[in-house]
Amino acid sequence: MQTRLNQAQPYALGLFRIVIGLFFTCHGAASLFGVLGGAMNGDSIPAGTWPGWYAAVIQFIGGILVMLGLGTRIAALICSGSMAYAYFKVHQPEALFPLQNGGEPSAVFCWAFLLLVFTGPGALALDRLFSRGGTEREKERESEQAPPVTV
């Protein structure tokens, strides 16, 4: 069983990246375009408003990049940083714990993106198409960790 789980790990990580990126993109779209329920009052955030509009741009563009697996590590680092800022600047002054201050989404997104910074995009990332086949070391590591999954 351990072998099968190890074989599926890059695909599970890729699926995790896609879902987290999609959710983050939806948050940005709600704030920027007023869709999916909009921002706080159901509308979009006025362009240039600090920090909300800039955070929404990071959410929308960063979420798309992470979801597609383009520049995943850099995009995830920026997204993680923006969520850390949101948590400590907006939520943490209200109360110490995320459950008390409404900062659970910010905290979870922050840690999820930080995980992607260190793990990379996993399988199904567009980065692999543009990396000229990747480095020899990456190819060796992938062949050791992720042989094709057979059903």
Short mmCIF file of all heavy atoms in Angstrom, two decimals, residues 109-144:
data_model
loop_
_atom_site.label_atom_id
_atom_site.label_comp_id
_atom_site.label_asym_id
_atom_site.label_seq_id
_atom_site.Cartn_x
_atom_site.Cartn_y
_atom_site.Cartn_z
N PHE A 109 -5.06 29.34 3.85
CA PHE A 109 -4.46 29.66 2.55
C PHE A 109 -2.97 29.95 2.71
O PHE A 109 -2.16 29.53 1.89
CB PHE A 109 -5.15 30.86 1.90
CG PHE A 109 -6.37 30.50 1.10
CD1 PHE A 109 -7.57 31.15 1.34
CD2 PHE A 109 -6.32 29.56 0.09
CE1 PHE A 109 -8.70 30.85 0.60
CE2 PHE A 109 -7.44 29.25 -0.65
CZ PHE A 109 -8.63 29.89 -0.40
N CYS A 110 -2.60 30.69 3.74
CA CYS A 110 -1.20 31.01 3.98
C CYS A 110 -0.36 29.74 4.08
O CYS A 110 0.66 29.60 3.41
CB CYS A 110 -1.06 31.85 5.24
SG CYS A 110 0.65 32.28 5.64
N TRP A 111 -0.80 28.80 4.89
CA TRP A 111 -0.04 27.56 5.09
C TRP A 111 -0.10 26.65 3.87
O TRP A 111 0.89 25.98 3.53
CB TRP A 111 -0.52 26.83 6.35
CG TRP A 111 -0.04 27.50 7.58
CD1 TRP A 111 -0.76 28.28 8.44
CD2 TRP A 111 1.30 27.50 8.09
NE1 TRP A 111 0.05 28.75 9.44
CE2 TRP A 111 1.32 28.29 9.26
CE3 TRP A 111 2.48 26.91 7.67
CZ2 TRP A 111 2.46 28.48 10.02
CZ3 TRP A 111 3.63 27.11 8.43
CH2 TRP A 111 3.61 27.88 9.58
N ALA A 112 -1.23 26.61 3.18
CA ALA A 112 -1.34 25.78 1.98
C ALA A 112 -0.39 26.27 0.89
O ALA A 112 0.31 25.47 0.24
CB ALA A 112 -2.78 25.78 1.47
N PHE A 113 -0.34 27.58 0.70
CA PHE A 113 0.57 28.12 -0.32
C PHE A 113 2.02 27.95 0.11
O PHE A 113 2.88 27.69 -0.74
CB PHE A 113 0.24 29.58 -0.62
CG PHE A 113 -0.97 29.74 -1.48
CD1 PHE A 113 -2.07 30.43 -1.01
CD2 PHE A 113 -1.03 29.20 -2.75
CE1 PHE A 113 -3.21 30.59 -1.80
CE2 PHE A 113 -2.15 29.35 -3.55
CZ PHE A 113 -3.25 30.04 -3.07
N LEU A 114 2.30 28.08 1.39
CA LEU A 114 3.66 27.88 1.85
C LEU A 114 4.10 26.43 1.60
O LEU A 114 5.25 26.17 1.23
CB LEU A 114 3.79 28.24 3.33
CG LEU A 114 5.22 28.32 3.87
CD1 LEU A 114 6.02 29.41 3.15
CD2 LEU A 114 5.20 28.59 5.36
N LEU A 115 3.20 25.49 1.78
CA LEU A 115 3.49 24.10 1.47
C LEU A 115 3.87 23.94 0.00
O LEU A 115 4.84 23.26 -0.34
CB LEU A 115 2.29 23.21 1.81
CG LEU A 115 2.43 21.72 1.45
CD1 LEU A 115 3.50 21.08 2.31
CD2 LEU A 115 1.10 21.02 1.61
N LEU A 116 3.13 24.61 -0.89
CA LEU A 116 3.43 24.52 -2.32
C LEU A 116 4.77 25.16 -2.68
O LEU A 116 5.41 24.75 -3.64
CB LEU A 116 2.29 25.14 -3.13
CG LEU A 116 0.99 24.35 -3.14
CD1 LEU A 116 -0.12 25.16 -3.80
CD2 LEU A 116 1.18 23.01 -3.83
N VAL A 117 5.18 26.16 -1.91
CA VAL A 117 6.50 26.77 -2.14
C VAL A 117 7.58 25.70 -1.97
O VAL A 117 8.52 25.61 -2.76
CB VAL A 117 6.75 27.94 -1.17
CG1 VAL A 117 8.21 28.41 -1.24
CG2 VAL A 117 5.81 29.10 -1.48
N PHE A 118 7.44 24.85 -0.97
CA PHE A 118 8.47 23.86 -0.67
C PHE A 118 8.31 22.55 -1.43
O PHE A 118 9.30 21.88 -1.70
CB PHE A 118 8.51 23.60 0.84
CG PHE A 118 9.10 24.74 1.60
CD1 PHE A 118 8.28 25.68 2.20
CD2 PHE A 118 10.47 24.91 1.68
CE1 PHE A 118 8.83 26.77 2.88
CE2 PHE A 118 11.02 25.99 2.34
CZ PHE A 118 10.20 26.92 2.95
N THR A 119 7.09 22.18 -1.79
CA THR A 119 6.89 20.91 -2.49
C THR A 119 6.93 21.05 -4.00
O THR A 119 7.17 20.07 -4.70
CB THR A 119 5.53 20.28 -2.11
OG1 THR A 119 4.48 21.16 -2.51
CG2 THR A 119 5.46 19.98 -0.63
N GLY A 120 6.65 22.23 -4.50
CA GLY A 120 6.54 22.39 -5.94
C GLY A 120 5.14 22.04 -6.40
O GLY A 120 4.27 21.73 -5.60
N PRO A 121 4.92 22.07 -7.72
CA PRO A 121 3.57 21.94 -8.24
C PRO A 121 2.99 20.54 -8.30
O PRO A 121 1.80 20.37 -8.47
CB PRO A 121 3.69 22.52 -9.65
CG PRO A 121 5.09 22.23 -10.04
CD PRO A 121 5.89 22.37 -8.76
N GLY A 122 3.82 19.51 -8.19
CA GLY A 122 3.31 18.16 -8.36
C GLY A 122 3.06 17.87 -9.83
O GLY A 122 3.61 18.53 -10.72
N ALA A 123 2.23 16.90 -10.09
CA ALA A 123 1.93 16.50 -11.47
C ALA A 123 0.93 17.48 -12.10
O ALA A 123 0.33 18.30 -11.42
CB ALA A 123 1.35 15.09 -11.48
N LEU A 124 0.80 17.38 -13.38
CA LEU A 124 -0.19 18.12 -14.16
C LEU A 124 0.03 19.63 -14.14
O LEU A 124 -0.92 20.40 -14.18
CB LEU A 124 -1.61 17.81 -13.66
CG LEU A 124 -1.96 16.33 -13.50
CD1 LEU A 124 -3.29 16.17 -12.80
CD2 LEU A 124 -1.95 15.61 -14.82
N ALA A 125 1.28 20.07 -14.06
CA ALA A 125 1.59 21.50 -14.04
C ALA A 125 2.10 21.93 -15.42
O ALA A 125 2.87 21.22 -16.05
CB ALA A 125 2.64 21.79 -12.99
N LEU A 126 1.68 23.11 -15.86
CA LEU A 126 2.13 23.63 -17.15
C LEU A 126 3.61 24.02 -17.12
O LEU A 126 4.23 24.13 -18.18
CB LEU A 126 1.28 24.82 -17.57
CG LEU A 126 -0.16 24.51 -17.94
CD1 LEU A 126 -0.89 25.78 -18.36
CD2 LEU A 126 -0.23 23.47 -19.05
N ASP A 127 4.17 24.23 -15.94
CA ASP A 127 5.61 24.52 -15.83
C ASP A 127 6.44 23.46 -16.55
O ASP A 127 7.45 23.77 -17.15
CB ASP A 127 6.04 24.55 -14.36
CG ASP A 127 5.84 25.89 -13.71
OD1 ASP A 127 5.69 26.89 -14.43
OD2 ASP A 127 5.84 25.93 -12.47
N ARG A 128 5.99 22.25 -16.49
CA ARG A 128 6.74 21.14 -17.09
C ARG A 128 6.79 21.25 -18.61
O ARG A 128 7.74 20.79 -19.23
CB ARG A 128 6.15 19.82 -16.67
CG ARG A 128 6.25 19.61 -15.18
CD ARG A 128 5.68 18.27 -14.77
NE ARG A 128 5.55 18.18 -13.34
CZ ARG A 128 6.53 17.82 -12.52
NH1 ARG A 128 7.70 17.53 -12.99
NH2 ARG A 128 6.33 17.76 -11.23
N LEU A 129 5.78 21.86 -19.20
CA LEU A 129 5.78 22.03 -20.66
C LEU A 129 6.80 23.06 -21.12
O LEU A 129 7.33 22.97 -22.22
CB LEU A 129 4.40 22.45 -21.15
CG LEU A 129 3.27 21.45 -20.97
CD1 LEU A 129 1.96 22.06 -21.44
CD2 LEU A 129 3.57 20.17 -21.73
N PHE A 130 7.05 24.06 -20.27
CA PHE A 130 7.92 25.17 -20.65
C PHE A 130 9.33 25.05 -20.10
O PHE A 130 10.14 25.94 -20.31
CB PHE A 130 7.30 26.50 -20.19
CG PHE A 130 5.95 26.73 -20.79
CD1 PHE A 130 4.84 26.80 -19.97
CD2 PHE A 130 5.79 26.86 -22.15
CE1 PHE A 130 3.58 27.01 -20.52
CE2 PHE A 130 4.54 27.07 -22.70
CZ PHE A 130 3.43 27.14 -21.89
N SER A 131 9.63 23.97 -19.37
CA SER A 131 10.93 23.87 -18.73
C SER A 131 11.96 23.14 -19.59
O SER A 131 12.98 22.71 -19.09
CB SER A 131 10.79 23.17 -17.38
OG SER A 131 10.42 21.83 -17.58
N ARG A 132 11.69 22.97 -20.87
CA ARG A 132 12.61 22.26 -21.78
C ARG A 132 12.91 20.88 -21.26
O ARG A 132 14.06 20.43 -21.25
CB ARG A 132 13.89 23.04 -21.98
CG ARG A 132 13.70 24.37 -22.62
CD ARG A 132 15.03 24.99 -22.86
NE ARG A 132 14.86 26.37 -23.26
CZ ARG A 132 15.70 27.00 -24.05
NH1 ARG A 132 16.74 26.39 -24.53
NH2 ARG A 132 15.49 28.26 -24.36
N GLY A 133 11.89 20.22 -20.77
CA GLY A 133 12.06 18.86 -20.28
C GLY A 133 12.58 18.77 -18.86
O GLY A 133 12.74 17.70 -18.33
N GLY A 134 12.89 19.87 -18.24
CA GLY A 134 13.38 19.86 -16.87
C GLY A 134 14.85 19.50 -16.81
O GLY A 134 15.46 19.09 -17.79
N THR A 135 15.42 19.64 -15.64
CA THR A 135 16.83 19.30 -15.46
C THR A 135 16.97 17.80 -15.30
O THR A 135 16.01 17.08 -15.01
CB THR A 135 17.40 20.01 -14.22
OG1 THR A 135 16.73 19.50 -13.06
CG2 THR A 135 17.23 21.51 -14.31
N GLU A 136 18.17 17.32 -15.46
CA GLU A 136 18.42 15.88 -15.30
C GLU A 136 18.10 15.43 -13.88
O GLU A 136 17.55 14.35 -13.69
CB GLU A 136 19.88 15.56 -15.64
CG GLU A 136 20.19 15.69 -17.11
CD GLU A 136 19.34 14.77 -17.98
OE1 GLU A 136 19.16 13.59 -17.61
OE2 GLU A 136 18.86 15.23 -19.02
N ARG A 137 18.42 16.25 -12.92
CA ARG A 137 18.15 15.90 -11.52
C ARG A 137 16.65 15.76 -11.28
O ARG A 137 16.21 14.84 -10.58
CB ARG A 137 18.76 16.95 -10.60
CG ARG A 137 18.64 16.61 -9.15
CD ARG A 137 19.34 17.65 -8.31
NE ARG A 137 19.11 17.38 -6.91
CZ ARG A 137 20.03 17.47 -5.99
NH1 ARG A 137 21.24 17.83 -6.32
NH2 ARG A 137 19.75 17.24 -4.74
N GLU A 138 15.83 16.68 -11.83
CA GLU A 138 14.38 16.58 -11.68
C GLU A 138 13.86 15.31 -12.31
O GLU A 138 12.99 14.64 -11.77
CB GLU A 138 13.70 17.80 -12.31
CG GLU A 138 13.83 19.06 -11.50
CD GLU A 138 13.20 20.26 -12.22
OE1 GLU A 138 12.89 20.13 -13.43
OE2 GLU A 138 13.04 21.30 -11.58
N LYS A 139 14.37 14.97 -13.49
CA LYS A 139 13.93 13.76 -14.18
C LYS A 139 14.25 12.52 -13.36
O LYS A 139 13.43 11.61 -13.24
CB LYS A 139 14.59 13.66 -15.55
CG LYS A 139 14.06 14.65 -16.55
CD LYS A 139 14.78 14.47 -17.86
CE LYS A 139 14.38 15.53 -18.86
NZ LYS A 139 15.12 15.41 -20.12
N GLU A 140 15.46 12.47 -12.79
CA GLU A 140 15.85 11.33 -11.97
C GLU A 140 14.95 11.21 -10.75
O GLU A 140 14.50 10.13 -10.40
CB GLU A 140 17.31 11.48 -11.52
CG GLU A 140 18.31 11.27 -12.62
CD GLU A 140 19.73 11.56 -12.14
OE1 GLU A 140 19.95 11.63 -10.90
OE2 GLU A 140 20.61 11.71 -13.00
N ARG A 141 14.71 12.35 -10.08
CA ARG A 141 13.89 12.33 -8.88
C ARG A 141 12.47 11.89 -9.19
O ARG A 141 11.87 11.12 -8.45
CB ARG A 141 13.90 13.72 -8.23
CG ARG A 141 13.30 13.71 -6.85
CD ARG A 141 13.44 15.03 -6.17
NE ARG A 141 12.76 16.03 -7.00
CZ ARG A 141 12.85 17.33 -6.80
NH1 ARG A 141 13.56 17.80 -5.84
NH2 ARG A 141 12.20 18.16 -7.58
N GLU A 142 11.90 12.38 -10.30
CA GLU A 142 10.54 11.99 -10.67
C GLU A 142 10.46 10.51 -11.00
O GLU A 142 9.50 9.83 -10.64
CB GLU A 142 10.07 12.81 -11.87
CG GLU A 142 9.75 14.23 -11.52
CD GLU A 142 9.42 15.06 -12.75
OE1 GLU A 142 9.34 14.50 -13.85
OE2 GLU A 142 9.27 16.28 -12.60
N SER A 143 11.47 9.98 -11.68
CA SER A 143 11.43 8.57 -12.03
C SER A 143 11.56 7.69 -10.80
O SER A 143 11.00 6.61 -10.74
CB SER A 143 12.53 8.23 -13.04
OG SER A 143 13.81 8.39 -12.45
N GLU A 144 12.28 8.17 -9.77
CA GLU A 144 12.40 7.41 -8.53
C GLU A 144 11.11 7.48 -7.72
O GLU A 144 10.67 6.49 -7.15
CB GLU A 144 13.53 7.98 -7.67
CG GLU A 144 14.90 7.73 -8.23
CD GLU A 144 15.97 8.48 -7.45
OE1 GLU A 144 15.63 9.13 -6.43
OE2 GLU A 144 17.13 8.42 -7.86
#
